[in-house]
Amino acid sequence: MSAVDDIDRRLIGFLRLDGRRSYADMAAEVGLSLPAVKRRVDRLQAAGVITGFTAKVDYTKLGWSIEAFTELRYTGRTRPPDIERLAVDLPEVQAVYLIAGDPDALCHIRARDVTHLREVIDTIRSSGGVMGTKTFITLGSSTEPA
């Protein structure tokens, strides 16, 4: 792919904030025609820079008001696929990140309340190979475009 320029970065930023933003609206913002913006977005998708569009979800409206990150430490024999399986096996686990150093992984969790969070962490601890955990409950978050 040819180099990503400042206009491409702005388009990516717009789409990160609102994946349904119209090409016409973005074109007006960056000073290009609608077809030119569409070609740029298509090129970014074809190159794999933009990999998809997703919906933002307000988890509190679904009853999942607690968000936490749990550090996971595993025994030396635990394989990465076994760690990553948490994201498939537990609906509360939003993502599992394998990381270098100590700890071995970082787990993003959503839960109804603190009791539910404790149950999820207990399930993770008993899933095999987990030597220790450390959990951080978030107080809030913000996302900014690249």
Side-chain angles (χ1 to χ4, degrees):
M1 172 174 175
S2 60
V4 174
D5 64 16
D6 289 338
I7 292 175
D8 292 335
R9 283 185 197 73
R10 288 185 67 196
L11 296 173
I12 292 166
F14 294 150
L15 292 171
R16 283 188 60 214
L17 290 174
D18 180 3
R20 296 179 67 183
R21 190 160 181 177
S22 73
Y23 292 140
D25 184 46
M26 291 188 293
E29 287 281 333
V30 299
L32 294 175
S33 68
L34 186 148
V37 167
K38 182 177 182 333
R39 280 192 302 273
R40 282 176 176 259
V41 172
D42 288 347
R43 179 177 47 84
L44 291 166
Q45 284 183 281
V49 174
I50 296 175
T51 58
F53 299 89
T54 61
K56 291 183 180 181
V57 176
D58 183 343
Y59 287 93
T60 60
K61 291 193 171 44
L62 296 174
W64 294 53
S65 60
I66 298 290
E67 179 178 36
F69 290 89
T70 299
E71 294 178 351
L72 304 173
R73 286 168 186 78
Y74 282 85
T75 62
R77 296 181 188 171
T78 305
R79 299 175 325 114
D82 296 333
I83 297 170
E84 293 168 333
R85 193 168 299 118
L86 283 174
V88 174
D89 292 346
L90 297 173
E92 296 88 351
V93 175
Q94 304 298 293
V96 175
Y97 304 94
L98 300 177
I99 56 179
D102 182 33
D104 300 304
L106 188 63
C107 188
H108 180 201
I109 301 170
R110 293 203 183 266
R112 291 183 304 275
D113 51 36
V114 174
T115 302
H116 183 208
L117 177 62
R118 185 180 63 225
E119 291 167 359
V120 172
I121 293 168
D122 288 345
T123 300
I124 291 170
R125 285 181 180 148
S126 65
S127 66
V130 177
M131 294 186 336
T133 63
K134 182 177 180 181
T135 300
F136 304 88
I137 297 175
T138 65
L139 301 176
S141 65
S142 66
T143 304
E144 299 201 18

